[in-house]
Amino acid sequence: MADESLQEIVCCMGQPVAGNPSQFMMERSFAAAGLDWRYLTLEVAPEDLAAAVAGMKAMGFRGGNFTIPHKVAVIPYLTRLTEAAELMGAVNCIYAEEDGFVGENTDGKGFVSALKEVIDPAEKKIVLLGAGGAARAIAVELGLNKAASIEVVNRDASRGRALAELLSERVGIESKWTPWNGTHGLAEDTDIVINGTSIGLCDGSAMVPVDPSTFRESMVVADVIFNPPQTLFLQAAEEAGCQTIDGLGMLVNQGVIGFKIWTGVDPDPTVMREALEEYLGI
Protein backbone atom coordinates (compact mmCIF):
# COMPACT_ATOMS: atom_id res chain seq x y z
CA MET A 1 0.00 0.00 0.00
CA ALA A 2 1.35 3.45 -0.94
CA ASP A 3 2.44 5.81 1.79
CA GLU A 4 -0.41 8.32 2.14
CA SER A 5 1.36 10.68 4.54
CA LEU A 6 1.42 14.36 3.66
CA GLN A 7 4.54 15.91 2.18
CA GLU A 8 6.66 17.87 4.64
CA ILE A 9 7.10 21.50 3.60
CA VAL A 10 9.88 24.06 4.14
CA CYS A 11 10.36 27.36 2.35
CA CYS A 12 12.39 30.45 1.61
CA MET A 13 10.83 33.86 2.26
CA GLY A 14 12.16 37.20 1.07
CA GLN A 15 11.58 40.10 -1.29
CA PRO A 16 12.79 39.82 -3.99
CA VAL A 17 13.43 36.07 -4.14
CA ALA A 18 13.16 35.39 -7.87
CA GLY A 19 16.38 33.70 -8.96
CA ASN A 20 17.22 32.34 -5.50
CA PRO A 21 18.86 28.92 -6.11
CA SER A 22 17.90 27.32 -2.78
CA GLN A 23 14.71 25.60 -3.99
CA PHE A 24 16.48 23.92 -6.92
CA MET A 25 19.31 22.76 -4.65
CA MET A 26 17.08 21.57 -1.81
CA GLU A 27 14.50 19.73 -3.91
CA ARG A 28 17.28 17.93 -5.79
CA SER A 29 18.74 16.96 -2.40
CA PHE A 30 15.39 15.77 -1.00
CA ALA A 31 14.97 13.50 -4.03
CA ALA A 32 18.52 12.14 -3.70
CA ALA A 33 17.87 11.33 -0.02
CA GLY A 34 14.55 9.64 -0.83
CA LEU A 35 12.54 12.22 1.13
CA ASP A 36 9.08 13.31 0.01
CA TRP A 37 9.61 16.94 1.02
CA ARG A 38 8.94 20.22 -0.80
CA TYR A 39 10.82 23.52 -0.65
CA LEU A 40 8.79 26.57 -1.69
CA THR A 41 10.18 29.96 -2.71
CA LEU A 42 7.75 32.61 -1.42
CA GLU A 43 7.73 36.34 -2.15
CA VAL A 44 6.61 38.01 1.10
CA ALA A 45 6.38 41.78 1.59
CA PRO A 46 7.56 43.19 4.95
CA GLU A 47 4.03 44.14 6.00
CA ASP A 48 2.89 40.53 5.47
CA LEU A 49 5.70 38.84 7.42
CA ALA A 50 3.77 38.29 10.67
CA ALA A 51 0.87 36.69 8.80
CA ALA A 52 3.27 34.57 6.75
CA VAL A 53 5.00 33.11 9.83
CA ALA A 54 1.59 32.48 11.45
CA GLY A 55 0.58 30.74 8.23
CA MET A 56 3.68 28.54 8.34
CA LYS A 57 2.73 27.46 11.86
CA ALA A 58 -0.93 26.92 11.00
CA MET A 59 -0.05 24.82 7.94
CA GLY A 60 2.54 22.72 9.72
CA PHE A 61 5.67 23.85 7.90
CA ARG A 62 8.80 22.18 9.31
CA GLY A 63 10.86 25.34 8.93
CA GLY A 64 12.30 27.72 6.39
CA ASN A 65 14.97 30.13 5.29
CA PHE A 66 14.65 33.91 5.51
CA THR A 67 16.53 36.30 3.32
CA ILE A 68 16.56 40.07 2.72
CA PRO A 69 14.64 42.01 4.11
CA HIS A 70 13.36 39.58 6.79
CA LYS A 71 16.49 38.34 8.64
CA VAL A 72 16.03 40.73 11.58
CA ALA A 73 12.32 41.48 11.22
CA VAL A 74 11.33 37.82 11.72
CA ILE A 75 12.83 37.61 15.23
CA PRO A 76 9.76 38.89 17.18
CA TYR A 77 7.65 36.08 15.69
CA LEU A 78 9.92 33.27 16.96
CA THR A 79 9.79 31.50 20.33
CA ARG A 80 13.56 31.60 20.90
CA LEU A 81 16.96 32.05 19.21
CA THR A 82 20.09 29.91 19.21
CA GLU A 83 23.24 31.39 20.76
CA ALA A 84 24.71 32.30 17.36
CA ALA A 85 21.51 33.92 16.08
CA GLU A 86 21.17 35.95 19.30
CA LEU A 87 24.76 37.21 19.03
CA MET A 88 24.33 38.08 15.35
CA GLY A 89 20.93 39.67 15.83
CA ALA A 90 19.78 38.02 12.61
CA VAL A 91 18.11 34.77 11.52
CA ASN A 92 18.29 33.02 8.18
CA CYS A 93 16.89 29.61 9.16
CA ILE A 94 14.02 28.56 11.42
CA TYR A 95 12.81 25.16 12.53
CA ALA A 96 9.61 24.01 14.21
CA GLU A 97 9.29 22.91 17.79
CA GLU A 98 6.12 22.26 19.78
CA ASP A 99 5.05 25.83 20.48
CA GLY A 100 6.50 27.71 17.51
CA PHE A 101 9.74 28.26 15.64
CA VAL A 102 13.38 28.51 16.73
CA GLY A 103 15.63 31.03 14.98
CA GLU A 104 19.09 29.93 13.82
CA ASN A 105 21.72 31.55 11.62
CA THR A 106 23.56 29.15 9.29
CA ASP A 107 25.39 31.83 7.24
CA GLY A 108 28.45 31.78 9.48
CA LYS A 109 28.25 28.03 10.18
CA GLY A 110 28.18 27.29 6.45
CA PHE A 111 31.20 29.50 5.87
CA VAL A 112 33.21 28.00 8.74
CA SER A 113 32.39 24.45 7.53
CA ALA A 114 33.76 25.33 4.09
CA LEU A 115 36.79 27.03 5.65
CA LYS A 116 37.60 24.02 7.85
CA GLU A 117 37.95 21.85 4.74
CA VAL A 118 41.09 23.92 4.05
CA ILE A 119 42.18 25.44 7.39
CA ASP A 120 41.02 25.47 11.02
CA PRO A 121 40.34 29.10 12.09
CA ALA A 122 41.37 28.40 15.70
CA GLU A 123 44.31 30.61 16.75
CA LYS A 124 44.46 32.26 13.31
CA LYS A 125 44.77 35.98 12.52
CA ILE A 126 41.86 36.94 10.30
CA VAL A 127 41.09 39.98 8.16
CA LEU A 128 37.36 40.35 7.43
CA LEU A 129 36.38 42.80 4.70
CA GLY A 130 32.91 44.21 5.43
CA ALA A 131 30.62 44.37 8.44
CA GLY A 132 27.16 43.74 6.97
CA GLY A 133 24.84 40.81 7.65
CA ALA A 134 26.95 38.05 6.07
CA ALA A 135 30.20 39.43 7.52
CA ARG A 136 28.66 39.72 10.99
CA ALA A 137 27.45 36.10 10.90
CA ILE A 138 30.86 34.88 9.72
CA ALA A 139 32.69 36.93 12.35
CA VAL A 140 30.61 35.55 15.23
CA GLU A 141 31.11 31.94 14.10
CA LEU A 142 34.85 32.49 13.65
CA GLY A 143 34.93 33.90 17.16
CA LEU A 144 32.99 30.94 18.56
CA ASN A 145 35.56 28.73 16.78
CA LYS A 146 38.38 30.42 18.75
CA ALA A 147 40.05 32.60 16.10
CA ALA A 148 43.07 34.43 17.56
CA SER A 149 41.96 37.82 16.27
CA ILE A 150 39.65 39.43 13.71
CA GLU A 151 40.40 42.74 12.05
CA VAL A 152 37.15 44.19 10.70
CA VAL A 153 37.87 46.39 7.68
CA ASN A 154 34.85 48.54 6.84
CA ARG A 155 34.01 51.99 5.48
CA ASP A 156 31.09 52.65 7.83
CA ALA A 157 32.63 53.47 11.22
CA SER A 158 29.58 52.77 13.38
CA ARG A 159 28.94 49.35 11.85
CA GLY A 160 32.64 48.40 11.85
CA ARG A 161 33.14 49.47 15.46
CA ALA A 162 29.94 47.76 16.59
CA LEU A 163 31.06 44.43 15.13
CA ALA A 164 34.56 44.70 16.62
CA GLU A 165 33.06 45.55 20.03
CA LEU A 166 30.62 42.62 19.82
CA LEU A 167 33.51 40.25 19.11
CA SER A 168 35.64 41.65 21.93
CA GLU A 169 32.93 42.00 24.57
CA ARG A 170 30.41 39.24 23.84
CA VAL A 171 32.41 36.58 21.98
CA GLY A 172 35.63 37.20 23.89
CA ILE A 173 38.22 37.40 21.13
CA GLU A 174 40.65 40.15 20.14
CA SER A 175 39.12 42.40 17.49
CA LYS A 176 39.54 45.88 16.05
CA TRP A 177 37.95 48.02 13.37
CA THR A 178 40.14 49.43 10.60
CA PRO A 179 38.74 52.18 8.32
CA TRP A 180 38.55 51.07 4.69
CA ASN A 181 39.87 54.10 2.86
CA GLY A 182 40.85 53.43 -0.74
CA THR A 183 42.75 50.20 -1.44
CA HIS A 184 43.42 48.14 1.69
CA GLY A 185 46.84 46.58 2.27
CA LEU A 186 47.03 43.29 4.16
CA ALA A 187 49.40 42.74 7.08
CA GLU A 188 52.05 40.11 6.30
CA ASP A 189 51.16 37.93 9.30
CA THR A 190 47.52 37.54 8.24
CA ASP A 191 46.45 33.87 8.06
CA ILE A 192 42.96 34.17 6.54
CA VAL A 193 41.43 36.93 4.38
CA ILE A 194 37.67 37.01 3.78
CA ASN A 195 35.59 39.17 1.45
CA GLY A 196 32.31 39.47 3.36
CA THR A 197 30.93 42.23 1.09
CA SER A 198 28.65 41.97 -1.95
CA ILE A 199 31.37 43.35 -4.27
CA GLY A 200 31.54 41.05 -7.29
CA LEU A 201 28.03 39.60 -7.01
CA CYS A 202 26.77 39.03 -10.56
CA ASP A 203 29.63 41.26 -11.75
CA GLY A 204 32.75 39.44 -12.87
CA SER A 205 34.53 42.75 -13.54
CA ALA A 206 34.25 44.11 -9.97
CA MET A 207 37.34 43.91 -7.79
CA VAL A 208 37.35 44.22 -3.99
CA PRO A 209 39.59 47.23 -3.20
CA VAL A 210 42.49 45.28 -1.72
CA ASP A 211 46.11 45.67 -2.78
CA PRO A 212 46.85 42.34 -4.54
CA SER A 213 50.59 42.83 -4.00
CA THR A 214 49.99 42.28 -0.27
CA PHE A 215 48.67 38.72 -0.73
CA ARG A 216 51.14 36.11 0.56
CA GLU A 217 51.35 32.41 -0.36
CA SER A 218 50.78 31.55 3.30
CA MET A 219 47.30 33.14 3.28
CA VAL A 220 43.99 31.37 2.75
CA VAL A 221 41.62 33.70 0.88
CA ALA A 222 37.84 33.25 0.85
CA ASP A 223 34.95 35.03 -0.87
CA VAL A 224 31.25 34.88 0.04
CA ILE A 225 30.25 35.64 -3.57
CA PHE A 226 28.83 32.53 -5.28
CA ASN A 227 27.87 34.01 -8.67
CA PRO A 228 30.35 34.08 -10.30
CA PRO A 229 32.26 31.71 -7.99
CA GLN A 230 35.62 32.68 -9.50
CA THR A 231 35.75 36.41 -8.65
CA LEU A 232 38.54 38.80 -9.55
CA PHE A 233 39.40 38.87 -5.83
CA LEU A 234 39.98 35.10 -5.79
CA GLN A 235 41.80 35.20 -9.14
CA ALA A 236 44.25 37.76 -7.75
CA ALA A 237 44.79 35.63 -4.65
CA GLU A 238 45.41 32.50 -6.72
CA GLU A 239 47.93 34.35 -8.87
CA ALA A 240 49.78 35.23 -5.65
CA GLY A 241 49.89 31.54 -4.70
CA CYS A 242 47.16 31.61 -2.04
CA GLN A 243 44.73 28.77 -1.37
CA THR A 244 41.20 30.02 -2.13
CA ILE A 245 37.62 29.16 -1.15
CA ASP A 246 34.68 30.28 -3.29
CA GLY A 247 31.19 31.28 -2.14
CA LEU A 248 29.58 28.10 -3.46
CA GLY A 249 31.20 26.18 -0.61
CA MET A 250 29.51 28.44 1.95
CA LEU A 251 26.14 28.11 0.19
CA VAL A 252 26.40 24.32 -0.03
CA ASN A 253 27.43 23.90 3.61
CA GLN A 254 24.69 26.27 4.73
CA GLY A 255 22.24 24.08 2.80
CA VAL A 256 23.69 20.93 4.38
CA ILE A 257 23.18 22.38 7.88
CA GLY A 258 19.59 23.50 7.20
CA PHE A 259 18.72 20.15 5.60
CA LYS A 260 20.00 18.26 8.66
CA ILE A 261 18.22 20.62 11.09
CA TRP A 262 14.86 20.07 9.36
CA THR A 263 15.03 16.39 8.38
CA GLY A 264 17.53 14.79 10.76
CA VAL A 265 19.20 13.31 7.67
CA ASP A 266 22.71 14.05 6.36
CA PRO A 267 22.41 15.15 2.72
CA ASP A 268 24.99 14.57 -0.01
CA PRO A 269 26.95 17.84 -0.43
CA THR A 270 28.05 16.77 -3.93
CA VAL A 271 24.41 16.66 -5.06
CA MET A 272 23.93 20.18 -3.66
CA ARG A 273 26.99 21.65 -5.35
CA GLU A 274 26.16 20.03 -8.70
CA ALA A 275 22.60 21.37 -8.47
CA LEU A 276 23.90 24.90 -7.76
CA GLU A 277 26.37 24.74 -10.64
CA GLU A 278 23.61 23.54 -12.97
CA TYR A 279 21.23 26.29 -11.81
CA LEU A 280 23.86 29.01 -12.18
CA GLY A 281 25.07 27.65 -15.53
CA ILE A 282 28.63 27.19 -14.30
Side-chain angles (χ1 to χ4, degrees):
M1 182 175 166
D3 182 3
E4 295 178 357
S5 62
L6 293 169
Q7 287 182 315
E8 299 287 4
I9 299 174
V10 288
C11 66
C12 175
M13 288 190 188
Q15 190 182 54
V17 282
N20 187 299
S22 296
Q23 179 175 339
F24 190 81
M25 176 179 74
M26 283 296 187
E27 295 220 324
R28 184 71 62 84
S29 301
F30 289 146
L35 297 174
D36 190 22
W37 285 53
R38 296 301 311 274
Y39 187 103
L40 308 178
T41 302
L42 306 171
E43 184 97 6
V44 175
E47 60 270 23
D48 296 325
L49 182 61
V53 176
M56 286 176 70
K57 185 177 179 183
M59 291 184 282
F61 281 35
R62 293 294 292 272
N65 292 125
F66 287 80
T67 187
I68 293 168
H70 303 322
K71 288 187 177 187
V72 176
V74 73
I75 291 173
Y77 311 118
L78 307 176
T79 55
R80 65 184 179 91
L81 301 180
T82 64
E83 178 193 19
E86 189 271 323
L87 283 168
M88 294 166 197
V91 163
N92 78 328
C93 178
I94 69 171
Y95 57 93
E97 59 179 19
E98 281 185 18
D99 55 347
F101 292 106
V102 179
E104 171 64 286
N105 196 309
T106 62
D107 279 335
K109 287 181 172 66
F111 177 85
V112 170
S113 293
L115 183 67
K116 282 184 173 179
E117 292 169 18
V118 176
I119 187 173
D120 189 327
E123 304 307 318
K124 300 298 189 295
K125 292 188 173 184
I126 299 170
V127 171
L128 176 63
L129 305 165
R136 189 178 175 92
I138 287 167
V140 167
E141 287 295 345
L142 288 169
L144 294 174
N145 279 270
K146 310 301 181 190
S149 65
I150 299 178
E151 178 185 3
V152 179
V153 181
N154 197 61
R155 287 190 178 87
D156 184 278
S158 60
R159 190 179 270 190
R161 277 203 191 97
L163 179 51
E165 287 170 5
L166 173 77
L167 295 170
S168 299
E169 296 167 12
R170 297 284 310 279
V171 186
I173 65 159
E174 183 185 328
S175 184
K176 68 173 182 176
W177 164 67
T178 298
W180 198 350
N181 299 320
T183 302
H184 183 72
L186 301 164
E188 280 193 31
D189 62 350
T190 301
D191 297 306
I192 300 169
V193 185
I194 303 158
N195 173 36
T197 76
S198 60
I199 297 168
L201 182 61
C202 300
D203 184 359
S205 65
M207 175 59 182
V208 178
V210 166
D211 182 354
S213 72
T214 59
F215 282 128
R216 296 287 178 269
E217 283 187 13
S218 56
M219 297 176 183
V220 171
V221 179
D223 202 329
V224 300
I225 301 302
F226 62 86
N227 187 20
Q230 187 62 359
T231 59
L232 283 183
F233 177 68
L234 291 185
Q235 287 174 40
E238 282 186 3
E239 286 166 12
C242 304
Q243 275 189 285
T244 62
I245 302 168
D246 66 34
L248 279 182
M250 175 180 171
L251 199 58
V252 167
N253 282 300
Q254 182 182 307
V256 165
I257 295 163
F259 191 107
K260 179 68 180 283
I261 287 172
W262 296 323
T263 69
V265 174
D266 288 305
D268 184 345
T270 305
V271 170
M272 287 190 167
R273 183 160 184 123
E274 287 173 353
L276 280 175
E277 289 176 351
E278 181 181 335
Y279 186 89
L280 297 170
I282 298 166

